Structures are given as C-alpha cells and as structure tokens.
C-alpha cells in the first residue's frame, strides 16, 4: 500500500511539472506575438501617415488645378484637422472661406480651434473678427450663441458689458425667431442679465437710477427697450407726475401709436389726477388722434373735478379747452362760434365763483382768458364792439394802473380798430397808469407824430406834461416822507447810543464797589471795546441792494484799527491768577508789546494800503500768496495777514510803496482766488473818518436800470446780454453772487436811457428762460434803515445781551424765570438793583440814570426778608 501511495505522489508531481512547462511556453509564445503585433501597428501608422500625406498633397494639387472643387476643400480640411497641421489647416480654411460660404459645422470647428489656440493671448479682437465673418454666411443660432458666450469672457474689460449686450441684441434680431433654436439665445440673454442684476442691485432701483437708465436708453433710441424701462419705472413710481409726463411726451413725439398713446395718457391722469399738466396733455393727445367732441368734453369735465392744488391750474386747463374749441370753429358757421362764446362765458363765471371761493383769488389777475376772447372777436369775427366791451371789463378789474395792459389794448386797436379809439385809449392810459407813466406818454406822443394833427399834438403834449408833473410831485412827497422816517430812525439810534454811553459812564463813576464788582466792571468795559466775539472778522460795508452794483459785497471794515493778530491791536489780556513775583515781568512784557505795536502803527500808511477779505481760511502761507498776487500792481512793502488762535481769519492788509499801486489793486476786486471772489477795498481809518463809505447805497429810483429775478443759476452774462440787447443799448450787466461766488439768480442791467429800460421791462417781464419765469422791474432799492447797521463804535459782541446764558449747543436756555417775584427787577420809572446794591432814585432823574454814587449793599438778612415777604 505504501509503494502504491508513493507512486501516485510521483505521478502527480510529474503532471504539475508538465503543466508549468506548458504555461511557460504559452507565455513565451504570447510575448513573441505581442512584439510582432506592435511592430505591425507601427508599420500600419507610418503607412497611414504616408497615405494621408500623399492624399493631402493630391488634394492640394487638385485644388491648384481647380480651386472651386468644394468637396476637395472639405476633404482637405478634414485630413489636416485629423493630422493636427494647424498652420496648413488655418490656411486651407481661409482659402475655402474666400471662395465659399462655410457651413455651421465648419465654422464651429474653426472657431473652437482658434479659441483654444488664443486662450493665453490677451488680444481677443482676432476671434471677434472671425465671429463677425461667421455670422454673415448663414443664419446659425449655434454660432450666435457661441459668439455671445465667448464675449461674456471679456466682460471684465472696458466696455465689456455693453459689448455683450450688443451681441445678444444682434443675435436676437438675427435668430431670435428661429422656431427650434431661438429660445436658447433668449434664455442665455436672460441668465446674463439676471447675473448682472444680482451683482449690482440687491434692491429695486430708485427713481433717480430709473431716470438715468431712461436717459441712456433714449440716447440709444430703441423703442422697445425705452418703453419697457418706462413701464418698469412707473410700476414702482406710479405717483410721480414727472415720470408720467416724460413717458407720455415720448409716446406723443416718437411712437405716435393711437391706442398706446391714449391708454397711457388715461393711466397717467388716473394715477396723478391732481396734476393739471397731465390733463392738458391728455386733451391735446385726444385732439391730435381725432377723438370725437363728446369724448374730449367728458375728459375736460373730469379735469375740472380733479381737485387741482392752485388757482392758476384751472386757468390753464380752461385755456387748453378753449384753444381746442377755437380750432374746431368754422367762423363761417354760427353753431360752433356760439358754442365757443358760451364756453368763454362759462369759464369767466367758473373763475369768479368756484375758483375764487376756493382759493380766494381768481388765478388770472391779468385776465388772460378775456384778452384771448377779445383778440378772437377782433380778428376772426370782426366784432370790435365786443372786443372793446371785454377790455373795459379787464380794466375795471384793477388793471388800469398797469402800462402793459393799456399798451396791449392800444395794439389791438392799432391792428383792428381805428385812430380815434387808439387816441382815446392812450389818453386814458396817460391818466390812469401809475407804474410806468413815462413810457405811456412817449407812446402817445409817437402816435400823434404819425397820425395826429397840430391840435392833437398840442393836446397830447399838454396832457403828458401835466401828468408827469403830478407824478414827480407825488414821488417827491414819498421821497421826503421816507427821508423824514430815516432821520427819525437815526435820531432814535443816536438817543439809544447816548443813553448807553451815559449808563456806562455812571457805572464807572460809582464808588465803594467790592473787588469782585470792580473786576466785573473792567471786564464789561473791555467787552464794550473789543466785543464778545473776538474771532469775528470785521465786516465790509454792504454794497447796493435792489439797485446797486455791489449788493453782495461782504468783506470787512476798512478801518486799520479793527485788525487783530500778529500786527494788530493788543488782544484782550488773559485774566489769570499768577504768583505775585511774575507781575513785574508781565508788566514789562506788556509794555514792550505795546511799544512794538505803536511803532508798527506809525509805519502804516492807509493811503498806500488796501484791505483784502473773503479769502479762504484754509489758504496756506497767505503772506507769500498775496504778495505774489499783488506784485503786478506795484512794489509791495508788506502783507499783514490776520490770524486767530485757530488759524488764518480770511482777511489781511496789503501795503504798497506808492499810492499809484492802490488804484491798480482795486481793479482786482472780485478776482477769484481758490474758488472764491476776493474783495479788495480802500484802507481807511474809521476812527478818523466815521462817515466814509466804500460803496454808496443808492435809495433812489434808477429809471435807466432794471432788476431781474428768477434767473437760472447757470445763466451767464453773455446769455443775459443776448436776451436784453434787442430792447436798447446796454451799458453794464451784473450777476449777483454770494460771498462764495455762487449765483443768486438775480441780475442788474443798466441801459443808456430810461426809455430803453422801460421797454425792456414791458417786453421781458414774465418771459421764460431755461424753464425759469423771469420777473423784471425798474431798479428801485428799498430804503436802508440806519437801525439795521450797527454803529461803528459798537462792537459785534455788544449786540448780545450779557445776561443771556448759552447752553452746551449754543442755544439760549429757557427763558422761564425761576426767581421769586420779590426779587424781580422793577421796570418803568422804578429804580433797578445792580450788583447787589439797593438803588435810590435821584431827584429830577428817572430810569437807569437815577442811581446814587454811593449806596448801601444788601446784607443776607435783607435778602431773607425779601424772600419771606408776600
């Protein structure tokens, strides 16, 4: 059994060894076969390349023979792209595109290859040019979509977002209506805009942003985009009348689509019914698009019930409706004419009853509606009798005193009436006019020169002379009355000044005051000399107001004694408690300072100096700047800039070596320095010349000069001269500015004679310049009260009561008195307690001047008795 087992084991081992040898032989055979296969593959690829190259050469040779072989071009491009011959491939594509339009597949392959090659290049213009060529061959949505997506990659470059939008807009125009693929372009555009909106607008746009967007789109001029942005803006700002007005104006002038225009006008008046301008534009739009008469009348009736906020709105809406009725009248037919007259009559009744009852005014003081009615009767109906009746009614409504109303009536008679009624109108005008009688008189004399006889001329001369003499007498009386009032004001001011001076002298004469009271009196005396606001710069005299040429001149006092600072008068002493040992040193130092200032005062020459004010507080090194600025006027001896503890105070003195330089320096007045007008004034010592004034304030009527208000701030002298030059010869124009150089919307225009000025007032008053209504009048400056100007000897600080205590924010504390009635100071003729002293009236005196020089101070027990007294 053992031998049998060993034999089996040996047989198994032999079997395993044979199997292992077979596996090794098989692996060797496989390796050999693999080497042979690889060698075969290499041989095959090299053979393929050779075949492809040979095919490429064959195709190129064939194309050289026949360049218009389309299939040969396509095969060549495929082989070159397969072989990776990029330079030759680009050349082959270029040749084919020059001969044939390329298909969508060829263009997409070309574009993708070029994009891949230029990823590292910053210049994207080559790809843009290739895309522009591609979209011209066929309408291919895929190419447009690829173009738009490629442009998004350049969005970060300047103008990148605008370029992307432009490409998307062109794509939508070209392929947006493609049945199967157009939607992909729309979707891509929407996603792009949503992404942009998410980055720049976390909240809905505001009104100002919408307006900016609308202005931009209107410049681009795409109606669809303009309409949609208007609708978006109005959806969020439906109660903004200006937005509705702007939208309807665009529709009226650009789109002119009846249904769209009228529906938008209706929405506008429904959202903002209180806005008269929207109703007026609605009526015009209805008439423009041929709406029937009943529809327009119904809209007008709704407008009357809309509840406008001012009386003039009702005047304008009536004028718009009456204009419509006049345009539809055939004056040969009586029916429409009678309807127009009935509407005029109703409008006058409506103004008199409804409007005056609601607003306490008619809204039409010049009777504009009646003037238009009179012109229609005279021009179209040849009915001067009715026109004269209307003008008689106009004059009885308070308009007979205005020259322009009479001249309107005169022009009507001149155009459609006769000479007799013209003469009668002018005679009545001379008799009734109170604002510009000289002008009316001149018109009457001119009329008689042309139309009248000698008797008519004599009558006109006599009437005008009599009227003008009466007017001059009335003006002289008014001027005398105003002068008398001015003298009274000056006398009152002088009396107050004297009373204050007497009170001050009386306080100084009191004896027996305590040390604390003496120190307080000294401080008050010093405040009387210097004023409480030590850092306030001296004031330059105001120039002319309503009629002058220096109305806005705000500078500083020309007195050399008002200067304080490095070269100025001595500053108020600092009241501190110092050790007794330092008093002598302080006394010596103050003596030295006073001596230096006195010496410097002696070196000053007012007649060789000018005062400079309104300079910027932030000016660096003002001495050097001003010396360089004024050196062209002459040799500069010194520049004395005035400083406060916080820095430069904005004014200084410039002293020249000669008097001739002062004249040249004064010509630099109002020259701009650091964005502000620099004021240059003569330097005069007001203590020696208290009545000196740099600029005289004219308080008389200036008939040759007109005052214009309501100007736009952007108005220039050239624009104003262009507006006024047709009415006479202009001598001077001045635009009023504030001290920072910004315009106030006011101006003065001086003519050579009074007639030109009057003519300019009549023609220019009420005109519109850059959407601003101008008010024009003869320059008649108001009287300047002496009480309005602080006396020269009165410092600025003394204008504030000393007993006023200011809180932490500069406001006066409550004026509620917490003092018992017993301790209240008595008023009237009773004496006053001052500084704890019980005053006693002096015989023969009253008020504040009745104090005794000596008075017994009140003790604590006296105060206690006063508190306990009922």
């Amino acid at each position: 059994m053992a031998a049998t087992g060993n034999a089996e084991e040996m047989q198994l081992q032999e079997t395993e060894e044979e199997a292992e040898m077979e596996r090794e032989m098989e692996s060797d055979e496989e390796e050999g076969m693999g080497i042979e296969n690889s060698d075969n593959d290499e041989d095959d690829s090299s053979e393929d390349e050779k075949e492809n190259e040979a095919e490429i050469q064959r195709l190129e040779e064939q194309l050289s023979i026949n360049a218009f072989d389309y299939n040969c071009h396509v095969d060549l491009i495929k082989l070159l792209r397969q072989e990776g011959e990029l330079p030759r491939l680009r050349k082959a594509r270029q040749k084919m595109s020059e001969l044939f339009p390329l298909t969508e597949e060829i263009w997409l392959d070309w574009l993708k290859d070029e994009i891949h090659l230029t990823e590292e290049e910053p210049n994207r213009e080559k790809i843009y040019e290739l895309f522009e060529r591609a979209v011209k061959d066929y309408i291919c949505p895929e190419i447009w979509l690829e173009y738009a997506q490629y442009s998004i990659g350049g969005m970060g470059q300047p103008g990148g977002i605008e370029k992307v939008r432009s490409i998307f807009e062109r794509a939508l125009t070209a392929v947006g209506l493609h049945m199967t693929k157009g939607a992909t372009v729309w979707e891509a555009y929407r996603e792009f805009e949503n992404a942009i909106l998410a980055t720049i607008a976390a909240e809905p746009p505001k009104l100002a942003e919408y307006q900016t967007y609308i202005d931009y789109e209107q410049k681009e001029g795409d109606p669809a985009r303009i309409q949609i942005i208007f609708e978006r803006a109005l959806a969020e700002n439906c109660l903004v009348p200006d937005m509705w007005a702007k939208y309807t104006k665009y529709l009226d002038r650009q789109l002119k689509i009846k249904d769209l225009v009228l529906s938008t006008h209706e929405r506008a008046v429904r959202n903002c019914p209180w806005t008269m301008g929207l109703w007026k534009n609605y009526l015009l739009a209805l008439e423009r698009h041929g709406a029937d008469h009943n529809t327009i009348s119904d809209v007008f009736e709704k407008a009357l019930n809309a509840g406008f906020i001012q009386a003039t709105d009702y005047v304008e809406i009536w004028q718009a409706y009456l204009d419509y009725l006049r345009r539809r009248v055939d004056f040969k037919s009586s029916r429409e004419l009678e309807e127009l007259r009935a509407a005029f009559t109703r409008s006058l009744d409506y103004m008199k009853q409804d409007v005056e009852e609601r607003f306490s005014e008619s809204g039409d003081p010049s009777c504009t509606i009646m003037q238009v009615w009179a012109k229609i009767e005279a021009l179209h109906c040849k009915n001067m009798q009715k026109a004269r009746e209307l003008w008689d009614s106009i004059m009885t409504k308070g308009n007979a005193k205005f020259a322009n109303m009479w001249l309107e009536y005169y022009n009507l008679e001149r155009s459609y009436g006769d000479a007799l009624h013209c003469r009668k109108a002018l005679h009545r005008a001379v008799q009734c006019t109170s604002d510009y009688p000289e002008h009316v008189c001149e018109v009457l004399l001119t009329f008689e020169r042309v139309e009248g006889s000698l008797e008519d001329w004599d009558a006109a001369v006599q009437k005008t002379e009599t009227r003008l003499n009466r007017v001059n007498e009335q003006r002289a009386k008014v001027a005398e009355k105003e002068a008398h009032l001015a003298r009274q004001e000056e006398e009152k001011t002088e009396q107050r000044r004297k009373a204050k001076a007497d009170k001050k002298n009386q306080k100084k004469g009191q004896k027996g005051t305590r040390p604390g009271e003496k120190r307080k009196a000294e401080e008050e005396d010093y405040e009387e000399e210097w004023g409480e606001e030590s850092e306030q710069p001296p004031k330059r005299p105001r120039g002319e107001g309503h009629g002058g040429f220096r109305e806005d001149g705000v500078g500083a006092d020309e007195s050399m004694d008002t200067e304080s600072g490095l070269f100025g008068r001595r500053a108020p002493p600092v009241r501190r408690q110092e050790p007794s040992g330092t008093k002598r040193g302080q006394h010596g130092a103050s003596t030295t300072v006073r001596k230096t200032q006195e010496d410097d005062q002696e070196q000053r020459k007012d007649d060789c100096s000018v005062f400079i004010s309104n300079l910027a507080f932030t000016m660096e090194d003002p001495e050097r700047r001003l010396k360089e600025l004024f050196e062209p006027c002459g040799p500069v001896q010194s520049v004395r800039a005035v400083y406060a503890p916080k820095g430069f105070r904005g004014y200084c003195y410039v002293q020249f070596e000669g008097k001739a330089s002062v004249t040249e320096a004064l010509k630099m007045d109002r020259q701009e320095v650091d964005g502000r007008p620099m004021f240059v004034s003569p330097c005069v010592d007001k203590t020696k010349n208290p009545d000196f004034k740099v600029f005289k304030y004219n308080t008389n009527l200036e008939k040759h000069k007109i005052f214009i208000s309501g100007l736009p701030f952007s108005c220039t002298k050239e624009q104003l001269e262009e507006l006024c030059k047709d009415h006479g010869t202009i001598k001077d124009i001045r635009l009023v500015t504030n001290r920072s150089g910004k315009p106030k919307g006011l101006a003065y225009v001086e003519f050579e004679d009074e007639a030109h000025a009057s003519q300019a007032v009549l023609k220019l008053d009420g005109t519109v310049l850059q959407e601003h209504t101008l008010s024009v009048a003869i320059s008649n400056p108001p009287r300047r009260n002496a009480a309005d100007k602080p006396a020269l000897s009165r410092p600025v600080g003394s204008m504030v009561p000393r007993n006023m205590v200011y809180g932490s924010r500069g406001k006066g504390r409550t004026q509620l008195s917490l003092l018992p009635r017993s301790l209240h100071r008595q008023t009237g003729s009773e004496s006053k307690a001052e500084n704890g002293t019980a005053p006693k009236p002096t015989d023969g005196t009253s008020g504040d001047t009745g104090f005794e020089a000596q008075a017994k101070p009140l003790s604590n027990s006296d105060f206690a008795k006063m508190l306990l007294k009922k």
Side-chain angles (χ1 to χ4, degrees):
M1 291 295 292
T4 303
N6 291 333
E8 291 178 357
E9 289 177 3
M10 290 175 67
Q11 188 176 358
L12 288 173
Q13 289 178 358
E14 291 176 358
T15 304
E16 290 176 357
E17 288 177 358
E18 291 176 357
E20 186 175 354
M21 290 177 66
E22 290 177 359
R23 285 195 297 272
E24 289 177 358
M25 292 175 65
E26 290 176 358
S27 63
D28 291 340
E29 290 178 357
E30 290 176 358
E31 288 178 2
M33 291 295 294
I35 294 173
E36 292 178 0
N37 290 335
S38 62
D39 292 339
N40 293 334
D41 291 339
E42 291 178 359
D43 294 339
D44 292 340
S45 61
S46 62
E47 291 178 1
D48 291 340
E49 290 178 0
K50 291 178 181 180
E51 291 178 0
N52 290 341
E53 182 64 29
E55 183 65 17
I56 290 172
Q57 290 179 359
R58 186 186 67 80
L59 293 172
E60 289 177 347
E61 290 176 358
Q62 186 173 350
L63 289 174
S64 64
I65 299 173
N66 182 14
F68 289 91
D69 190 342
Y70 184 86
N71 292 329
C72 188
H73 280 287
V74 174
D75 294 338
L76 177 60
I77 290 173
K78 288 182 179 180
L79 285 175
L80 291 175
R81 191 167 190 264
Q82 181 179 346
E83 293 297 321
E85 295 285 346
L86 296 179
R88 298 172 65 185
L89 175 62
R90 182 180 295 169
K91 186 176 180 180
R93 285 168 170 167
Q94 183 69 27
K95 285 183 178 182
M96 184 177 180
S97 66
E98 293 174 358
L99 298 174
F100 302 101
L102 304 185
T103 63
E104 182 177 0
E105 293 78 10
I106 296 176
W107 272 118
L108 288 174
D109 291 339
W110 190 0
L111 290 168
K112 291 177 181 178
D113 292 341
E114 294 292 343
I115 291 172
H116 178 72
L117 291 175
T118 58
E119 285 181 350
E120 303 298 331
E121 298 180 10
N123 187 10
R124 304 170 61 89
E125 295 301 324
K126 293 181 180 180
I127 306 299
Y128 287 139
E129 293 176 1
L130 196 60
F131 270 113
E132 290 296 332
R133 291 174 56 189
V135 296
K136 293 178 182 178
D137 283 351
Y138 295 106
I139 296 179
C140 303
E142 295 292 339
I143 295 178
W144 276 109
L145 187 60
E146 189 70 24
Y147 191 9
Q149 291 176 347
Y150 177 75
S151 65
I152 293 175
M155 191 171 58
Q157 297 180 353
I161 296 179
E162 288 76 10
K163 187 173 184 64
V164 175
R165 285 200 176 108
S166 175
I167 293 172
F168 268 117
E169 292 291 339
R170 292 172 57 197
L172 293 176
T173 304
V175 299
L177 298 179
H178 195 284
M179 183 63 67
T180 58
K181 299 181 180 180
T184 57
V185 181
W186 285 99
E187 185 68 19
Y189 195 9
R190 185 180 66 83
E191 293 297 329
F192 167 75
E193 290 293 351
N194 285 336
I196 295 298
L197 184 62
T199 58
I200 64 174
E203 58 183 14
K206 298 180 180 179
L207 179 61
E209 296 171 348
Y210 272 124
Q211 290 175 341
T212 304
Y213 195 3
I214 289 171
D215 294 339
Y216 168 76
E217 292 295 349
Q218 285 185 323
K219 291 180 181 178
E220 295 297 320
D222 188 340
R225 293 181 63 86
I226 295 173
Q227 183 182 356
I228 193 62
I229 189 59
F230 265 120
E231 293 293 345
R232 285 180 56 196
L234 289 170
E236 299 179 13
N237 302 276
C238 60
L239 300 181
V240 180
D242 291 342
M243 184 65 70
W244 283 108
K246 193 172 183 179
Y247 186 25
T248 54
K249 181 179 179 181
Y250 169 76
L251 296 177
D252 288 333
R253 296 185 178 182
Q254 300 297 329
L255 294 187
K256 301 180 182 180
I257 302 173
K258 178 179 178 180
D259 294 338
L260 177 62
V261 171
L262 296 183
S263 63
T264 304
H265 277 286
E266 183 181 6
R267 290 161 54 204
V269 297
R270 291 177 62 189
N271 280 277
C272 304
W274 63 88
T275 308
M276 182 277 304
L278 298 179
W279 288 101
K280 181 179 178 181
N281 293 334
Y282 191 11
L283 292 174
L284 291 173
L286 288 170
E287 182 183 3
R288 195 176 294 118
H289 290 280
D292 61 88
H293 177 63
N294 293 332
T295 302
I296 297 178
S297 299
D298 292 342
V299 171
F300 171 70
E301 295 298 333
K302 291 179 181 179
L304 290 181
N305 298 322
F308 299 143
I309 59 178
Q310 54 187 3
T312 55
D313 290 344
Y314 288 95
V315 178
E316 290 192 38
I317 197 65
W318 267 109
Q319 285 180 331
Y321 183 61
L322 293 171
D323 291 344
Y324 156 71
L325 293 178
R326 197 272 308 163
R327 286 190 288 267
R328 66 186 294 270
V329 170
D330 181 5
F331 289 93
K332 298 179 181 179
S333 174
S334 60
R335 186 174 63 85
E336 289 85 1
L337 180 59
E338 292 303 321
E339 185 178 356
L340 175 61
R341 286 172 173 165
F344 270 112
T345 304
R346 182 193 170 195
S347 68
L348 299 179
D349 294 339
Y350 188 89
M351 291 295 158
K352 184 177 180 180
Q353 299 175 4
D354 298 63
V355 177
E356 287 189 8
E357 181 180 352
R358 178 180 175 185
F359 297 97
S360 301
E361 60 169 334
S362 66
D364 190 14
S366 299
C367 300
T368 307
I369 294 178
M370 295 181 70
Q371 290 187 45
V372 174
W373 189 4
K375 288 182 180 179
I376 292 174
E377 293 288 349
L379 175 62
H380 297 288
C381 304
K382 312 301 179 184
N383 189 355
M384 280 301 299
Q385 182 63 31
K386 180 63 176 179
R388 294 184 183 113
E389 292 176 1
L390 291 171
W391 269 104
D392 287 340
S393 178
I394 291 172
M395 292 304 180
T396 58
K397 294 182 181 297
N399 293 301
K401 60 183 178 180
F402 299 119
N404 64 326
M405 300 298 291
W406 283 108
L407 293 179
E408 284 288 339
Y409 177 38
Y410 164 72
N411 290 330
L412 183 71
E413 289 286 358
R414 192 71 170 159
S415 300
Y416 310 106
D418 50 46
L420 177 62
H421 285 90
C422 287
R423 182 176 293 109
K424 186 182 297 185
L426 289 177
H427 278 271
R428 291 175 61 191
V430 170
Q431 188 67 28
C432 300
T433 300
S434 60
D435 53 352
Y436 302 110
E438 295 88 352
H439 186 68
V440 176
C441 292
E442 182 181 355
V443 174
L444 174 58
L445 295 176
T446 302
F447 172 78
E448 296 298 353
R449 282 193 180 97
V450 177
E451 299 282 346
S453 62
L454 179 60
E455 291 78 8
D456 295 331
W457 171 260
D458 292 339
V461 170
Q462 182 179 359
K463 192 173 188 67
T464 55
E465 288 180 351
T466 303
R467 176 59 177 164
L468 292 179
N469 290 335
R470 190 182 304 119
V471 169
N472 291 331
E473 290 176 1
Q474 293 174 353
R475 290 174 178 173
K477 290 181 181 179
V478 172
E480 183 179 356
K481 184 177 180 181
E482 291 180 351
H484 178 67
L485 293 175
R487 287 194 297 270
Q488 288 182 344
E489 291 293 336
E490 292 177 356
E491 291 174 359
K492 291 180 181 179
T493 303
E494 183 65 18
Q495 291 176 359
R496 288 194 293 267
R497 188 186 66 79
K498 289 182 179 180
K500 189 171 183 178
D502 294 341
K503 182 178 179 181
K504 176 182 176 181
N505 294 332
Q506 187 176 8
K507 288 182 180 180
K508 289 184 178 179
Q510 290 179 354
K511 299 181 180 179
T513 56
R514 290 175 291 184
E517 296 172 354
K518 182 176 180 180
R519 180 179 301 169
K520 181 178 180 181
E522 291 176 352
E523 292 177 358
E524 291 179 352
D525 294 343
Y526 216 90
E527 289 174 357
E528 289 292 336
E529 180 180 359
W530 284 93
E532 296 178 1
E533 299 178 2
S534 61
E535 293 187 9
Q536 179 71 20
K539 298 292 183 183
R540 179 183 188 174
R542 278 191 177 271
E544 297 178 88
H546 180 51
F549 274 82
R550 294 303 295 270
E551 183 268 349
D552 55 306
V554 182
D557 196 344
E558 286 75 14
S559 172
M560 295 290 288
D561 288 342
T562 59
E563 181 186 6
S564 63
L566 184 61
F567 297 95
R569 295 172 60 188
R570 59 188 178 86
V574 181
R575 301 175 181 88
R576 297 177 180 173
Q577 292 184 357
E578 301 289 347
S580 59
T582 63
K583 292 184 178 180
R584 181 173 300 177
Q586 289 181 348
H587 177 72
S590 62
T591 303
T592 303
V593 171
R594 284 197 299 271
K595 184 177 181 180
T596 302
Q597 292 173 345
E598 290 172 0
D599 295 341
D600 185 72
Q601 184 76 17
E602 293 176 356
Q603 296 176 0
R604 299 180 184 176
K605 296 180 180 179
D606 293 354
D607 54 354
C608 296
S609 303
V610 291
F611 179 76
I612 315 299
S613 61
N614 201 41
L615 300 173
F617 292 166
T618 58
M619 177 181 286
E620 297 181 359
D621 197 0
E623 291 88 352
R624 178 186 59 81
R625 286 282 306 279
L626 292 172
K627 185 174 182 180
E628 294 176 354
L629 191 62
F630 284 94
E631 276 182 345
C633 302
V636 178
Q637 182 175 342
S638 64
V639 177
R640 301 189 299 277
V642 182
Y643 291 90
K646 297 181 180 179
F648 181 48
R649 294 179 63 180
Y651 62 97
C652 65
Y653 299 85
V654 177
Q655 183 169 327
F656 297 94
E657 294 182 359
K659 298 180 181 179
S661 302
V662 174
T663 304
E664 296 298 323
L666 292 175
K667 296 179 181 179
M668 300 178 64
D669 184 46
R670 302 304 176 95
Q671 180 174 326
E672 187 172 311
V673 177
D674 294 340
R676 298 170 61 89
M678 173 182 66
F679 299 150
V680 184
S681 311
C683 195
V684 178
D685 191 344
K686 286 296 185 65
T687 60
K688 299 178 182 178
N689 301 278
D691 298 328
F692 176 80
K693 293 182 180 179
V694 180
F695 311 110
K696 300 296 183 181
Y697 181 79
N698 197 342
T699 59
N700 299 323
L701 181 67
E702 299 173 299
K703 300 178 182 179
H704 62 289
K705 191 184 302 180
I706 63 174
F707 172 71
I708 305 177
S709 61
L711 288 168
F713 291 158
S714 60
C715 182
T716 63
K717 281 188 176 181
E718 291 75 15
Q719 293 175 336
L720 201 57
E721 182 179 7
E722 186 68 23
L723 181 66
C724 300
K725 70 179 183 180
D726 294 338
H727 308 295
T729 305
I730 299 174
K731 290 180 62 178
D732 194 7
I733 296 177
R734 181 176 68 88
L735 294 173
V736 182
T737 61
N738 56 23
R739 63 183 302 160
S740 63
K742 297 181 179 179
K744 291 184 176 181
L746 309 175
Y748 297 91
V749 180
E750 183 179 3
F751 291 89
E752 283 193 348
D753 54 46
E754 301 173 6
H756 292 166
S758 300
Q759 184 71 16
V761 170
L762 293 173
K763 297 296 183 181
L764 296 179
D765 187 38
T767 58
V768 178
L769 178 64
Q770 298 179 12
E771 300 182 357
H772 286 70
T773 303
L774 305 184
S775 297
V776 185
I778 293 294
S779 178
N780 187 15
R783 178 179 56 82
R784 187 177 185 182
N785 296 329
D788 296 339
K789 302 182 293 183
L792 294 176
S793 60
R794 184 180 184 185
V796 178
S798 62
M799 298 173 68
V800 182
R802 290 193 187 90
N803 59 355
M804 181 179 288
V805 182
Y806 287 91
S808 60
R809 297 179 66 86
K811 301 290 184 180
R813 291 179 181 171
T814 177
Q815 298 181 6
L816 180 63
S817 177
L818 301 179
L819 196 66
R821 294 189 184 91
S822 301
L823 297 183
H824 279 178
R825 293 184 179 181
Q826 302 298 321
T827 59
S829 60
E830 297 182 4
S831 303
K832 297 182 179 181
E834 186 74 24
N835 293 332
T837 304
K840 296 180 181 180
T842 305
D843 296 339
T845 61
S846 62
D848 295 341
T849 59
F851 293 157
E852 287 185 343
Q854 301 258 348
K856 181 180 179 182
L858 294 176
S859 63
N860 291 338
S861 59
D862 294 332
F863 277 104
K865 292 177 182 179
M866 294 177 67
L867 288 170
L868 295 175
K869 186 172 69 174
K870 186 66 177 175

